[in-house]
Amino acid sequence: MDNAQKTDSRDIVRKQRRKREDDSSAAKVAKTDTSGGLKSCYDKAMESITVHEVIKYGASSLPAKHYDPDTTEPISSGLQTLDQLLSWRLSEANPFNVATVPLAKREPPLASCPRRTLVSHDMMGGYLDDRFVQGASSDAPYVFYHWQYIDIFNYFSHNMVTIPPAVWTNAGHRHGVLVLGTFITEWTDGKTTCENFLKDEESYRAVADRLVQITHYYGFDGWLINIENTLNEVAVKNTPLFLRYLTDQVHERVPGSLVLWYDSVLVDGQLKWQNELNQSNQVFFDACDGIFTNYNWTEQSLVGMEAFSAAQGRLADIYVGVDVFARGEVVGGKFDTNKALELIRKHNLSTAIFAPGWVYETLSDKTEFRNNQDKFWGLLSDFLYIHQPASPLPFFSSFCQGFGMKLYRRGQPEVEESWFNLNGQELQPLYYREELEGGGWMRTRGCPKDAWNGGCSLLVEGLLPSSLSKVSARILSLHVPLASTTFVSLIYKPSAGVTVSLELKTSDAPLCTQEGAQDVRTSSVHPEALQEEHQLVRQFSQSCGQWNPEGWTVRCSQLQLKGCALKDVCVSVRREGEAQDTPFSCRIGEIMVLDANSFSVPPDPVKDLGLHDLVWLSGTNPDASPRLILNATLRWCYPAQLVRHFRIHWRRLRGPDPRIPPGQLALVGRAHAPLFRLSELDVPRPPGLLELVVEPVTREGFLVPESQWGRISLSYAAEQEAVSQ
């Protein structure tokens, strides 16, 4: 596997990094929390609503492996050595890198998929902008959004233990995709490492136990085991035992998890890639959940694997490797990767697509990245299988891809800067291009030029030929059981000359969970728009509060269906005038499908808001006046399944000049977990009193009354001022 030099990006989404003109120093930590992790915070309530802090400058106690040394922003990282792995402790883990999105159910379940698709994300050494848990500022980031085509996502780097950044785990889980870390040993050092931990049962069990603990704590779904060095006789004898023990233990601790073996070492300990499953590596395949083959296979290799006795009943567990960079003698690769997949599927095997970030790394014009990525996955689409996220109501998506040139809230820019944070990626639609009769065409694509929520919207565009009066674009494939009374809202911006509406395809819910559910007959429903005076529309408007759509159309509908599940969401575009070739575009800002009874459910309050790990920095403003910079961690309790995110605010209550009135609330950023690191917040010089506020943003977008927000005050003074008091 390939390794490239890491790049570095330490910009944050809330503000551009400002050069300090003096020697900043980290401050003493107040109220340090060493519990490590996002355990149930209801176990220990925090009664205090005011924190008193004496500003002292000294060394920070925050571990550099979990926090950026310049700004104390939380970051994701891996482990470099066997000693680091064996000494890993829950108390020293990184709470910010814990995935908060559980693995979504999907149809069909992974276990019943006969041909699976794994993506191994190897890009420039890993841990790039994606290591910043709370986001980074990036004008043209790498993002992945074709989740509906893949089943497993592997985050790969050349750290010995690659722990997936939580942003990737959350994005994958939201789409029902398993996320795997990587355990790798290489070259001479790797041989020494393997001889140490594979020398006996106690040693290999200790390593496996740590890997299982890390999997469970950080919330991902298993491991790719990649031993790329020779093994001595003892080590190679114990490797299958290590694999079996690891697989059994992680299955027990993390239901649905996987352990895969990379095709490298042979049963006699040689490092000799086979490019297939055969008798020389079967023993490792038998001991875990599957094999990821090397890339230099031929069709004869595929024929042999399909007929291999040890593979019978487990063809889906053979992931035939495809190197998108096309290094060595391989089939396909680059924009010909579809040629490799065509052969692999011909022989009923799964595939592992290695380094699809090729479209980003090698094609120099980064502004064309999304077009190139859509082209790449479009070429593969005939050989991939769409799975449907299966979840209860509410269903919602603004189609945000996890980045943007601005950050939008209800159609208005909330942050006027570029940003990147895969935690903000919402459920993705189907991206494709379709040719229509009469020379027409239609495509769907993400577009960051305007959005309703987040950074992107979905653009449905094309040419409606004179021979057709309308076209229907299938944008979502789902399995969502509906309520007896279901409320549907569509927020969109159409071009002139066309009328836009929704077409929903439903089926009987019990049938959808049976074998062959993908073949269940569906019925089309064309929900009529409700008038503004309709009771449900009034309730919805009251729950959401005042909007200022500015060009956006909000269309509300009602469904009254019993025992049905929503399977497809389509956007119908109809020509308004005479028959002629009609270019069209429709920007979809958001679709929500809600249980009408949810309008009357009161929102939960934020509980137990606490402030931890304070670090003070000093600086100088352009006018040479001193700056005081606050860094701190906020923790609170709120049911994660009820929110999209939290908005974090602050305001000055009192400063050194009592004549200045309290300030207005100012947005600091968005949190996607009940945990947020304030970073480089300029506050008034001491003595001062400020307030920090946590506002929940519900899944439905309903306003939460300010009385339910979390609030905590911080009173602070310089050391000499505190003494005089």
Side-chain angles (χ1 to χ4, degrees), residues 300-364:
Q300 189 59 41
S301 307
L302 306 181
V303 171
M305 286 189 285
E306 189 179 19
F308 187 42
S309 59
Q312 302 313 301
R314 291 191 65 189
L315 290 180
D317 298 334
I318 303 172
Y319 299 84
V320 180
V322 178
D323 180 8
V324 179
F325 277 78
R327 288 163 286 208
E329 295 186 11
V330 298
V331 176
K334 302 180 181 179
F335 282 125
D336 289 327
T337 298
N338 56 314
K339 296 178 180 178
L341 262 66
E342 182 177 12
L343 285 177
I344 292 167
R345 298 312 196 198
K346 174 183 174 183
H347 295 283
N348 301 305
L349 299 168
S350 295
T351 187
I353 302 172
F354 183 70
W358 168 84
V359 298
Y360 183 87
E361 288 192 56
T362 64
L363 303 179
S364 58

Side-chain angles (χ1 to χ4, degrees), residues 609-611 632-636 648 674-676 678 692 694 712:
L609 179 59
L611 191 64
T633 295
L634 287 167
R635 291 175 180 266
W636 61 93
I648 311 301
L675 184 69
F676 185 78
L678 295 166
L692 300 167
V694 176
I712 191 169

Side-chain angles (χ1 to χ4, degrees), residues 289-589:
D289 295 310
I291 188 169
F292 178 151
T293 77
N294 197 47
Y295 315 107
N296 305 112
W297 46 267
T298 64
E299 185 170 11
Q300 189 59 41
S301 307
L302 306 181
V303 171
M305 286 189 285
E306 189 179 19
F308 187 42
S309 59
Q312 302 313 301
R314 291 191 65 189
L315 290 180
D317 298 334
I318 303 172
Y319 299 84
V320 180
V322 178
D323 180 8
V324 179
F325 277 78
R327 288 163 286 208
E329 295 186 11
V330 298
V331 176
K334 302 180 181 179
F335 282 125
D336 289 327
T337 298
N338 56 314
K339 296 178 180 178
L341 262 66
E342 182 177 12
L343 285 177
I344 292 167
R345 298 312 196 198
K346 174 183 174 183
H347 295 283
N348 301 305
L349 299 168
S350 295
T351 187
I353 302 172
F354 183 70
W358 168 84
V359 298
Y360 183 87
E361 288 192 56
T362 64
L363 303 179
S364 58
D365 187 355
K366 296 296 186 285
T367 62
E368 287 296 307
F369 157 63
R370 284 176 296 108
N371 287 333
N372 290 327
Q373 174 147 279
D374 291 346
K375 174 183 175 181
F376 177 83
W377 288 97
L379 290 167
L380 301 186
S381 61
D382 287 344
F383 311 106
L384 303 173
Y385 309 100
I386 294 174
H387 68 263
Q388 303 168 332
S391 63
L393 293 177
F395 167 81
F396 58 89
S397 183
S398 67
F399 309 108
C400 178
Q401 293 179 344
F403 82 102
M405 296 184 292
K406 298 178 182 179
L407 183 62
Y408 289 86
R409 180 173 183 260
R410 295 184 170 184
Q412 300 297 312
E414 189 169 66
V415 175
E416 298 272 359
E417 296 176 359
S418 62
W419 64 278
F420 167 59
N421 187 346
L422 286 173
N423 280 321
Q425 187 181 83
E426 297 199 344
L427 199 74
Q428 291 299 289
L430 304 173
Y431 295 106
Y432 62 95
R433 180 185 172 101
E434 181 179 341
E435 301 301 320
L436 306 175
E437 64 179 68
W441 60 275
M442 174 186 64
R443 73 168 175 173
T444 61
R445 64 182 178 91
C447 180
K449 292 182 178 180
D450 196 5
W452 178 253
N453 275 321
C456 308
S457 53
L458 175 65
L459 206 60
V460 181
E461 59 186 0
L463 177 68
L464 188 60
S466 59
S467 58
L468 296 176
S469 61
K470 75 166 189 174
V471 65
S472 184
R474 179 184 179 221
I475 63 170
L476 289 163
S477 180
L478 309 164
H479 175 71
V480 178
L482 298 175
S484 56
T485 301
T486 301
F487 182 84
V488 182
S489 73
L490 168 67
I491 299 175
Y492 64 102
K493 282 185 178 181
S495 59
V498 296
T499 299
V500 174
S501 61
L502 282 181
E503 178 183 353
L504 307 178
K505 296 186 178 180
T506 64
S507 65
D508 291 340
L511 295 177
C512 298
T513 58
Q514 296 179 4
E515 192 75 23
Q518 61 269 29
D519 299 322
V520 172
R521 178 179 295 180
T522 60
S523 301
S524 292
V525 179
H526 300 266
E528 295 292 329
L530 299 175
Q531 300 300 312
E532 290 186 9
E533 60 271 15
H534 192 282
Q535 179 185 359
L536 284 180
V537 178
R538 292 203 309 270
Q539 285 182 290
F540 180 67
S541 299
Q542 290 169 0
S543 298
C544 293
Q546 290 187 342
W547 284 356
N548 184 21
E550 286 195 7
W552 292 95
T553 298
V554 181
R555 178 189 174 106
C556 299
S557 307
Q558 176 185 237
L559 297 176
Q560 291 187 306
L561 302 169
K562 291 186 178 180
C564 289
L566 178 62
K567 301 297 289 181
D568 291 325
V569 177
C570 305
V571 173
S572 179
V573 180
R574 181 182 296 273
R575 183 191 299 107
E576 291 179 340
E578 61 186 43
Q580 59 181 337
D581 289 354
T582 306
F584 69 88
S585 69
C586 179
R587 186 179 299 276
I588 309 297

Side-chain angles (χ1 to χ4, degrees), residues 1 183-185 224-231 239 261-276 280-281 284 291-294:
M1 293 191 176
F183 177 80
I184 185 171
T185 62
L224 171 66
I225 305 299
N226 186 6
I227 306 297
E228 295 204 69
N229 48 258
T230 59
L231 296 175
T239 298
W261 171 258
Y262 181 66
D263 158 33
S264 51
V265 176
L266 306 186
V267 68
D268 61 2
Q270 291 186 75
L271 176 62
K272 190 174 182 180
W273 298 270
Q274 298 296 284
N275 306 295
E276 64 180 12
S280 296
N281 54 26
F284 309 112
I291 188 169
F292 178 151
T293 77
N294 197 47

Side-chain angles (χ1 to χ4, degrees), residues 12 68 143 150 161 200 229 235 256 269 271 305 361 392 467 500 509 529 580 589 613 659 666 701 711:
I12 57 173
D68 182 270
V143 291
I150 77 169
V161 179
D200 53 38
N229 48 258
L271 176 62
M305 286 189 285
E361 288 192 56
S467 58
V500 174
Q580 59 181 337
D613 298 336
R659 296 169 298 180
R711 297 175 183 271

Side-chain angles (χ1 to χ4, degrees), residues 542-724:
Q542 290 169 0
S543 298
C544 293
Q546 290 187 342
W547 284 356
N548 184 21
E550 286 195 7
W552 292 95
T553 298
V554 181
R555 178 189 174 106
C556 299
S557 307
Q558 176 185 237
L559 297 176
Q560 291 187 306
L561 302 169
K562 291 186 178 180
C564 289
L566 178 62
K567 301 297 289 181
D568 291 325
V569 177
C570 305
V571 173
S572 179
V573 180
R574 181 182 296 273
R575 183 191 299 107
E576 291 179 340
E578 61 186 43
Q580 59 181 337
D581 289 354
T582 306
F584 69 88
S585 69
C586 179
R587 186 179 299 276
I588 309 297
E590 187 170 78
I591 291 177
M592 288 200 295
V593 184
L594 313 175
D595 184 340
N597 292 326
S598 65
F599 297 160
S600 59
V601 178
D604 283 43
V606 173
K607 296 182 179 180
D608 301 334
L609 179 59
L611 191 64
H612 310 266
D613 298 336
L614 278 74
V615 175
W616 297 96
L617 301 174
S618 61
T620 305
N621 290 310
D623 63 0
S625 60
R627 289 173 56 208
L628 182 60
I629 304 164
L630 172 64
N631 304 272
T633 295
L634 287 167
R635 291 175 180 266
W636 61 93
C637 291
Y638 202 86
Q641 71 276 15
L642 300 182
V643 291
R644 290 192 182 190
H645 57 262
F646 303 89
R647 302 172 76 225
I648 311 301
H649 311 267
W650 86 283
R651 66 170 175 160
R652 178 184 55 79
L653 295 178
R654 185 181 67 246
D657 187 344
R659 296 169 298 180
I660 300 177
Q664 299 295 314
L665 284 180
L667 182 70
V668 177
R670 290 185 180 183
H672 296 271
L675 184 69
F676 185 78
R677 184 71 185 168
L678 295 166
S679 179
E680 294 190 313
L681 180 64
D682 276 295
V683 299
R685 60 186 177 87
L689 178 67
L690 59 85
E691 184 180 42
L692 300 167
V693 179
V694 176
E695 173 194 0
V697 176
T698 67
R699 298 169 300 177
E700 304 87 350
F702 298 164
L703 289 182
V704 176
E706 288 194 29
S707 60
Q708 305 290 77
W709 298 4
R711 297 175 183 271
I712 191 169
S713 297
L714 171 63
S715 171
Y716 57 95
E719 190 168 12
Q720 61 272 23
E721 293 166 343
V723 172
S724 64

